[in-house]
Amino acid sequence: MQERRRVLVVTSIALFLSVLVWFNYSAVLPLIVEEWGLSGTEAGIVFGALQAGYLVAIVPAGLLADRYSPRWVIAVGATGTALPSLAFAAVADGLLVGTVLRFLSGLFVAGVYVPGMRFVSDWYPEATRGRALGLYIATYELGSGFSFVFATIAAEAVDWRLAIAVTSVGALFVAPVMVGLTRDSPERTTSSTGGFDRSIFRNREYLAAVSIYSWHNWELFGVRNWLLAFLVATPAFVATDSAVLPGLVVGAMIAMSGVGNAAGGWLSDRVGRPQTIAAGLGASTVLSATFGLLGGLPLAALVAVTLVYGVVLALDSAPTSTLVTEVVADEHVGTALSIQSLAGFSTTVVSPIVFGLALDRGGYAVAFPTLAAGALLGVLSVGALVWIRR
């Protein structure tokens, strides 16, 4: 039990330090846009480069985690995440260099997140795996949120280059800690081939879980992409005349999603995966459908609702990933999780665009329901899963 806990703590710290890189650019985006003279499209390209790198590398990362030691995949991935991001802080001076370096960080961060899930699931039995993965995935949310907080404070105190650097350097320490303090599970089952079992595409439970995760990400990343812009435009935040406060609230909201992940994983061990997933998606559907109408709330109330929103948005995440580890063969868990991640993150390219189109035509009151529609389709996917299991 003590070794399991050590594995969970070390792997979670590795994810936290690596994920700080993911959103540090977003936290200082206005400063980079001003200094480099980027258009909105160009700024979006630099942001999307990391996502693109992640999508390119995620399935190979899962294959490597199935065939070789996940802890070594994580060690290499974290180091490769840090170095291009530190180079971004030191030498990036425009669209081309910035895009290339963010793309390289995205390639390597794929070697941290999913291999970490594979590593944790190797150590924890199904009875407690939801809680363990919930805590692990919670560190993704904490890292994402604290990236905004750390980068905002550092940029305000000095400049954006220091902000990028301080949120990148920690990932350099992952490799020695992962290799030195953990080992592979004695019960680990490895894949003897370089490919994956294509029969998972005939596994209807797995396909339902992938659908759930895809619609979850549609809503989650749509919110995260547009939340700062929404808050900045509300009367309550305009009245504060603060350039820092909205970013700190967004960071806190994302960090609160860590609470949602931990709670969802814990609850799913007790009442069941489908029940927890459906409850989380149902609650987020209601909030997303109405959130665009709440811009007139007083500051305290708006902040409170935003933080609750962060919790609710993540309740279904850990149970869905845990479900994947339970419905596929043990030796192909890494690959199954990576394909799930590929499908899920692909929707994150589309939903912010759909949100923007709706925003142009009807404002935030019309835009946020496009995210609620995704969550509702996730609920229907849970229904399909329950029907398949009958």
Side-chain angles (χ1 to χ4, degrees):
M1 179 62 72
Q2 185 175 0
E3 186 168 17
R4 282 180 185 166
R5 288 174 178 168
R6 183 170 68 249
V7 165
L8 178 59
V9 169
V10 171
T11 311
S12 297
I13 291 172
L15 179 62
F16 176 85
L17 293 174
S18 302
V19 168
L20 289 175
V21 173
W22 199 307
F23 290 103
N24 58 12
Y25 167 80
S26 300
V28 296
L29 177 60
L31 299 176
I32 294 177
V33 167
E34 181 180 359
E35 182 173 320
W36 292 356
L38 298 179
S39 67
T41 300
E42 289 170 337
I45 289 172
V46 178
F47 173 80
L50 188 141
Q51 300 277 100
Y54 180 87
L55 292 175
V56 167
I58 187 59
V59 172
L63 291 169
L64 289 171
D66 282 340
R67 193 170 187 185
Y68 304 105
S69 169
R71 66 197 184 101
W72 280 99
V73 177
I74 295 166
V76 173
T79 303
T81 300
L83 292 176
S85 192
L86 288 168
F88 187 101
V91 302
D93 58 359
L95 176 63
L96 179 59
V97 175
T99 299
V100 170
L101 291 173
R102 289 285 292 177
F103 179 80
L104 291 174
S105 283
L107 284 177
F108 281 96
V109 80
V112 179
Y113 183 44
V114 166
M117 282 195 283
R118 163 78 208 234
F119 190 43
V120 171
S121 67
D122 284 342
W123 277 95
Y124 281 83
E126 291 185 6
T128 57
R129 191 178 295 167
R131 179 178 60 187
L133 284 178
L135 291 170
Y136 171 75
I137 298 170
T139 60
Y140 174 91
E141 310 296 354
L142 290 174
S144 302
F146 276 98
S147 181
F148 273 87
V149 175
F150 295 158
T152 298
I153 293 172
E156 184 73 11
V158 184
D159 62 16
W160 69 262
R161 292 188 184 274
L162 178 66
I164 296 291
V166 298
T167 49
S168 304
V169 70
L172 289 179
F173 297 95
V174 168
V177 173
M178 282 299 304
V179 175
L181 297 183
T182 67
R183 66 184 179 100
D184 292 326
S185 170
E187 301 176 4
R188 168 176 162 78
T189 304
T190 60
S191 172
S192 60
T193 66
F196 57 84
D197 183 3
R198 289 177 176 79
S199 67
I200 64 173
F201 295 114
R202 298 191 295 274
N203 182 332
R204 294 189 296 165
E205 287 182 277
Y206 172 69
L207 294 178
V210 170
S211 179
I212 292 166
Y213 186 75
S214 298
W215 292 118
H216 155 80
N217 270 13
W218 172 283
E219 179 186 34
L220 179 68
F221 280 83
V223 172
R224 289 184 181 176
N225 188 76
W226 283 101
L227 179 61
L228 182 61
F230 172 73
L231 293 180
V232 167
T234 61
F237 278 92
V238 169
T240 67
D241 196 29
S242 171
V244 176
L245 183 61
L248 294 178
V249 171
V250 172
M253 181 265 202
I254 296 173
M256 287 300 292
S257 291
V259 176
N261 269 296
W266 178 86
L267 191 62
S268 74
D269 282 342
R270 284 152 180 76
V271 304
R273 316 291 185 218
Q275 294 88 337
T276 305
I277 295 167
L281 284 171
S284 67
T285 298
V286 173
L287 268 174
S288 290
T290 57
F291 194 77
L293 302 172
L294 305 180
L297 288 177
L299 181 63
L302 183 55
V303 170
V305 173
T306 300
L307 296 181
V308 171
Y309 199 15
V311 175
V312 168
L313 281 167
L315 279 172
D316 60 297
S317 181
T320 304
S321 293
T322 306
L323 179 65
V324 168
T325 72
E326 296 168 345
V327 301
V328 301
D330 288 345
E331 63 267 27
H332 297 299
V333 164
T335 305
L337 287 168
S338 67
I339 293 171
Q340 173 208 29
S341 189
L342 174 64
F345 278 90
S346 295
T347 66
T348 69
V349 177
V350 181
S351 67
I353 296 172
V354 173
F355 186 106
L357 291 171
L359 178 65
D360 289 342
R361 285 160 176 75
Y364 286 107
V366 174
F368 273 98
T370 66
L371 306 180
L376 182 59
L377 289 171
V379 174
L380 295 177
S381 298
V382 178
L385 172 68
V386 173
W387 181 82
I388 290 166
R389 290 183 158 186
R390 292 178 59 185

